[in-house]
Each structure stands twice: as structure tokens, then as C-alpha cells.
Amino acid sequence: MLLILRLFTVYSFVNRASTKSPTRLTAAVVTIEVVGKAGGGESSLWASGINEYSKRLKPHLTLSHNFHKTDEAQLKKFNDLLGKRHGLIVLDPLGLKVTSEEFATQMYSKLESGGNRLSFIIGGASGLPVSLQPHNLPKNDYTACLSLSDLTFTHSFVRLLLTEQIYRSTQIKAATGYHK
């Protein structure tokens, strides 16, 4: 039973609605897209936490971090992913305020609608480009805008907080004792 639960957590069914093609299993891939440079001003404490949660996530999904030098580069990446119907969650203080359980629901919903691919978008030091702000986002099944907090955090801390919440989401879905 534990093996089946773990396999269900790691893999998800794709193309369930299609009767012409058989159901296939695909590993989930989550990417954190951030404006800035890798390790730029990052505390070893934050880096250590990010690495720890990334290791814990390996049985559940593949997590990576992509760094963009400019808002324009991040916007181009967003539009490329949007064109591929990739699941996208933009993080902004004006986004929907959610509990950890609601975050998990949103994350897995966007993973499913995005074909087991999901990217979280974190804006630069000046925030998100205007076209990625909550009121300008396209309304569809594979994009959402969430808020982690009304507080202001460093990019490194947001990456740590987000990585932990992604891990927490996998544990909520697996119904382990991690989330109480």
C-alpha cells in the first residue's frame, strides 16, 4: 500500500480524458523562475535549507531554479511557458491569500492542467513586470496568482519558504504527519 501511495505521489496520470491514446505516467517537474543571480547575496543558512527541502522532494518531483538577469528575460520565459500551456503560479503580495492546504490544492491543480509541469514566478527587486501583475494575468486553467505573505522578504528567503511549501504540499497530498 505504501508503495502504491508513493508511486501516486511521484507520478500522475496524463491524458486521462483522451480515449484515443493510452494513459501514460509522467514525473512531475516544478521550476522556480526568479529574477536575480544564483547565490547572489544568499545566506548559507537559506542555501542549506533550500538544498535540504530539494533533497526531500526528489522522491516526489523534480525541482529546479532558473535565474533570469532581467524582468524582460523572465517575461519572455513566462510567455514561452504560457504558449506551451505549462502550469504557472505567479507570486505577488496582491495575489490570493491561501492556507498550506489551499496552496497544495492550487499546486496540484496547476500541475495537472500543465501536464505535470509547473513554474512559480518570483519578480525582481522592483516586483513583477506590469504584464505579470495579478490584474493583467490571463484567466485560464493553468495560471494563478498567489501571495505568500503581505510582508517583504529577500529573494533567497522566498525561495526557501516556497521550497518548503512545495515539500509541505507533497506531504499534505500523501497524508503524512509532516503537516499538522
Side-chain angles (χ1 to χ4, degrees):
M1 178 74 169
L2 181 60
L3 178 61
I4 293 171
L5 180 60
R6 181 147 315 223
L7 284 174
F8 183 73
T9 303
V10 176
Y11 298 100
S12 143
F13 292 97
V14 178
N15 296 328
R16 273 184 257 169
S18 173
T19 55
K20 293 181 182 179
S21 63
T23 300
R24 63 187 178 93
L25 297 172
T26 307
V29 177
V30 175
T31 307
I32 297 174
E33 304 282 346
V34 62
V35 174
K37 56 183 176 179
E42 190 167 277
S43 158
S44 61
L45 177 63
W46 303 151
S48 165
I50 292 167
N51 290 336
E52 176 61 30
Y53 285 111
S54 295
K55 278 190 255 175
R56 292 183 188 188
L57 279 165
K58 285 184 181 175
H60 307 283
L61 53 82
T62 301
L63 178 69
S64 63
H65 301 256
N66 285 341
F67 295 88
H68 305 280
K69 290 183 179 182
T70 64
D71 286 346
E72 293 75 23
Q74 186 181 47
L75 184 57
K76 181 182 181 325
K77 179 68 171 185
F78 176 87
N79 288 325
D80 290 346
L81 296 172
L82 187 63
K84 296 176 184 174
R85 296 181 181 236
H86 189 103
L88 296 161
I89 296 179
V90 175
L91 299 176
D92 186 88
L94 299 176
L96 181 66
K97 312 259 188 286
V98 294
T99 64
S100 291
E101 292 88 351
E102 293 165 335
F103 181 93
T105 300
Q106 283 280 341
M107 184 180 102
Y108 278 100
S109 168
K110 299 312 173 206
L111 261 172
E112 186 175 321
S113 64
N116 266 358
R117 296 160 303 152
L118 172 64
S119 288
F120 287 92
I121 311 296
I122 300 172
S126 302
L128 293 165
V130 173
S131 58
L132 291 182
Q133 292 175 356
H135 56 280
N136 291 327
L137 282 177
K139 308 281 188 266
N140 56 46
D141 290 339
Y142 43 90
T143 59
C145 184
L146 302 179
S147 172
L148 294 178
S149 174
D150 287 335
L151 300 173
T152 301
F153 300 114
T154 64
H155 280 83
S156 298
F157 185 74
V158 169
R159 288 180 43 238
L160 172 59
L161 180 63
L162 179 57
T163 304
E164 190 279 336
Q165 283 299 301
I166 293 168
Y167 175 72
R168 182 176 297 275
S169 295
T170 66
Q171 299 309 292
I172 290 170
K173 185 159 178 76
T176 68
Y178 181 82
H179 178 73
K180 296 176 184 179

